[in-house]
C-alpha cells in the first residue's frame, strides 16, 4: 500500500488526435503505478479513460486537431479522479439508447458510456454535456 | 511504392474452421481496430471462410470500438450461413462482454479445443 499522503495532480491540454490520446494514457498509467491500485481497478480505470478520451476526441472535437481536450486528474491512495472537457457541442447522456436493450443489442456502437458508468464509482456530466467527471474509489483488498 | 502494414491477426485453418489469433495485447487504437476488421472481413468476403474461431488468449485490453467490429462480423457471418465463436477470453475482458450483454449474443467458449468442437 502506498503512503497515504501521496497525491498526484496534473492538468493537460492536448490536441484531438490519436497519438496524443496514447501519450496521455501512457502518462496516466505511469502516474498510477506508484499508487499500486489493485489490478482490476487499474483495468477499470484504463478502459474508462480509453472510452472517455475517445469520446472527447472523436465525438466531441470530431478529430479537429485545432480543438483541444482538457484533462485534469487527481490520484490519491484511495481514489482516481478525472475531469475531461472537449470543445464540441456536447450531448445529453439521458438520450443515449441503452445498448443492452434487446432492440439495440446488435447495434455496433454506443457501449462506451455504459462501460464508463459500470467501471467507475461515480460519473457526472456537466454543462452542455461536453464536460464529464469520473472517479474510481480503490477497492478494499 | 506501397508500404505493407504490420499484420494484426494470424490465422490457421483446422478442418473447415479458421482459427484467428491477435498479434496485439491491446485492441484499442482506431487504426488497429479498422485493420483488424478489414483482415477479418477479408477472410469472410474474399477468402470464403464461414466458420471463424477468434482466440483472445493474447489480448489484455479491448475497447467498445472493437466490440462494434465483432458485432458486425457476427452479423456478416450469420447472414451468409456462417458462425463466429470466441475463445480464450480473460476474466477481466469477459466482464466487458457480460456488462454489455454481448455474452448473450456471441458464442463464447473457454478455449480453442472447445471452440473447434462447438461448430
Amino acid at each position: 500500500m502506498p503512503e497515504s499522503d501521496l497525491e498526484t495532480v496534473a492538468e493537460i491540454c492536448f490536441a484531438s488526435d490519436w497519438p496524443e490520446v496514447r501519450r496521455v494514457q501512457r502518462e496516466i498509467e505511469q502516474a498510477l503505478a506508484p499508487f499500486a491500485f489493485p489490478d482490476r481497478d487499474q483495468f477499470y480505470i484504463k478502459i474508462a479513460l480509453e472510452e472517455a478520451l475517445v469520446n472527447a476526441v472523436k465525438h466531441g472535437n470530431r478529430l479537429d486537431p485545432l480543438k483541444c481536450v482538457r484533462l485534469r486528474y487527481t490520484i490519491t491512495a484511495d481514489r482516481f479522479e478525472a475531469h475531461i472537457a472537449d470543445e464540441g457541442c456536447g450531448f445529453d447522456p439521458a438520450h443515449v439508447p441503452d445498448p443492452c436493450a434487446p432492440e439495440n443489442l446488435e447495434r455496433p456502437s454506443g457501449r462506451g458510456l455504459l462501460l464508463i458508468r459500470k467501471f467507475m464509482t461515480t460519473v457526472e456530466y456537466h454543462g452542455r454535456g461536453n464536460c464529464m467527471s469520473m472517479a474510481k474509489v480503490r477497492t478494499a483488498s | 511504392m506501397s508500404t505493407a502494414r504490420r499484420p494484426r491477426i494470424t490465422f490457421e485453418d483446422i478442418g473447415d474452421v479458421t482459427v484467428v489469433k491477435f498479434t496485439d495485447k491491446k485492441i484499442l487504437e482506431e487504426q488497429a481496430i479498422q485493420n483488424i476488421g478489414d483482415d477479418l472481413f477479408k477472410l469472410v468476403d474474399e477468402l470464403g471462410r464461414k466458420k471463424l474461431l477468434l482466440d483472445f488468449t493474447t489480448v489484455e485490453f479491448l475497447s467498445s470500438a472493437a466490440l462494434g467490429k465483432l458485432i458486425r462480423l457476427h452479423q456478416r457471418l450469420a447472414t451468409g450461413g456462417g458462425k463466429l465463436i470466441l475463445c480464450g477470453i480473460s476474466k477481466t475482458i469477459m466482464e466487458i462482454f457480460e456488462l454489455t450483454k454481448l455474452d448473450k449474443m456471441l458464442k463464447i467458449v473457454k478455449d480453442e479445443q472447445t471452440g473447434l468442437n462447438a461448430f
Side-chain angles (χ1 to χ4, degrees), chain A residues 50-62:
Chain A
E50 164 72 19
E51 300 295 344
L53 294 177
V54 166
N55 283 348
V57 165
K58 185 178 177 183
H59 302 299
N61 288 348
R62 302 195 175 276

Side-chain angles (χ1 to χ4, degrees), chain A residues 5-138:
Chain A
D5 59 349
L6 190 61
E7 182 181 52
T8 294
V9 181
E11 190 155 357
I12 309 168
C13 183
F14 61 94
S16 301
D17 64 38
W18 299 123
E20 280 293 272
V21 171
R22 299 301 154 218
R23 182 184 65 77
V24 169
Q25 285 175 317
R26 280 196 300 274
E27 177 184 318
I28 295 176
E29 281 182 34
Q30 288 167 4
L32 271 169
F35 294 88
F37 276 63
D39 288 348
R40 185 154 291 202
D41 285 356
Q42 290 190 48
F43 177 83
Y44 292 159
I45 291 168
K46 285 178 190 174
I47 291 290
L49 259 180
E50 164 72 19
E51 300 295 344
L53 294 177
V54 166
N55 283 348
V57 165
K58 185 178 177 183
H59 302 299
N61 288 348
R62 302 195 175 276
L63 291 168
D64 181 346
L66 298 178
K67 290 184 176 177
C68 286
V69 174
R70 289 187 180 279
L71 165 67
R72 188 176 73 250
Y73 65 88
T74 305
I75 313 171
T76 63
D78 60 2
R79 186 179 175 90
F80 169 84
E81 192 172 313
H83 302 269
I84 299 169
D86 61 57
E87 297 183 56
C89 302
F91 73 107
D92 182 351
H95 288 162
V96 175
D98 175 8
C100 293
E103 66 272 21
N104 297 327
L105 208 51
E106 298 226 4
R107 287 173 59 152
S109 60
R111 292 175 176 80
L113 297 182
L114 172 72
L115 293 179
I116 296 170
R117 275 204 317 274
K118 296 284 189 181
F119 284 165
M120 301 303 275
T121 310
T122 61
V123 181
E124 292 174 4
Y125 293 88
H126 311 283
R128 59 181 187 265
N130 65 322
C131 306
M132 62 97 70
S133 306
M134 58 185 190
K136 179 71 185 170
V137 174
R138 174 195 283 268

